[in-house]
Amino acid sequence: MCGQKLSMSDSRPDDPPSAFVVRWSAHLVPLLPAPKRALDVAMGRGRHSEALAGAGYRVFGVDLRIDAVRRARARSARHGFVLRGWVADLTQYPLPPHSFELIVVSLYLQRDLFPSLRAALVPGGAIVYETFTEAQLALGFGPKSPDHLLAEGELRELFDGFDVLSYEEVSAPEAVARLVARRPV
């Protein structure tokens, strides 16, 4: 695995889900094929799982840290839904191909996982991805390693051949790139 893991498992337990992820995961529900399985990659404590379940997805999550997966599963049980969470190093145990209608990645970057992320989507499935860009360095907080910072336009290029539904790069309050893209049918 390259560098430090930037999952939300290192955040406060009360961190809210990303508004971008919540908005797009709900918007995509009628556009995605059944059975509407959503995978949260590097899920940390599961801050997106309740929103995904509430939108009607069968929620799956993967993280490298067992304590994070335990907390996420306990959180889902307290909120009355099932989170199918597992612990894995996706560089050693790649995602199964054609297995998810939605994949969510928030504030995590590991470039060697992109082929597996692309392949794990069913035809017509979508990815909602947001993470830090190199512009974050100017803000003085967040990741500092180039391994965890996207170059300008890089995220869009990593999903070349997908139908891009939304793409933006912002510099405040955090410098992030955000993408929503569908795998062609």
Side-chain angles (χ1 to χ4, degrees):
M1 175 123 69
C2 64
Q4 172 189 347
K5 182 162 176 18
L6 292 177
S7 86
M8 292 309 298
S9 57
D10 297 322
S11 66
R12 297 183 323 259
D14 60 345
D15 275 345
S18 158
F20 178 76
V21 169
V22 171
R23 181 176 63 252
W24 274 101
S25 59
H27 177 75
L28 289 166
V29 169
L31 305 176
L32 298 177
K36 304 208 189 309
R37 297 159 297 186
L39 172 65
D40 188 358
V41 174
M43 73 171 170
R45 293 184 178 120
R47 71 184 181 128
H48 295 109
S49 60
E50 186 174 1
L52 292 168
Y57 294 97
R58 289 180 56 210
V59 184
F60 297 79
V62 61
D63 201 285
L64 185 62
R65 295 178 46 179
I66 192 167
D67 61 321
V69 172
R70 283 184 181 144
R71 287 183 181 128
R73 291 182 67 185
R75 177 183 183 161
S76 71
R78 283 192 308 274
H79 291 279
F81 67 94
V82 175
L83 167 64
R84 296 152 188 90
W86 76 95
V87 177
D89 178 344
L90 296 179
T91 62
Q92 301 297 313
Y93 303 96
L95 294 170
H98 300 95
S99 296
F100 301 98
E101 287 72 33
L102 177 68
I103 295 177
V104 170
V105 185
S106 181
L107 303 182
Y108 179 71
L109 177 61
Q110 187 173 333
R111 287 175 176 87
D112 58 352
L113 292 182
F114 281 95
S116 179
L117 292 172
R118 292 171 59 101
L121 284 169
V122 301
I127 187 154
V128 176
Y129 202 119
E130 69 175 345
T131 200
F132 296 106
T133 66
E134 292 170 344
Q136 184 69 26
L137 291 171
L139 299 177
F141 66 94
K144 309 249 184 296
S145 168
D147 288 341
H148 304 295
L149 298 167
L150 291 165
E152 185 176 334
E154 181 181 4
L155 184 57
R156 187 177 194 123
E157 291 172 13
L158 289 164
F159 288 94
D160 185 47
F162 275 48
D163 299 322
V164 175
L165 305 177
S166 176
Y167 184 78
E168 67 179 353
E169 292 187 23
V170 299
S171 57
E174 298 173 318
V176 294
R178 296 181 177 121
L179 170 112
V180 179
R182 286 185 75 187
R183 182 178 180 167
V185 178

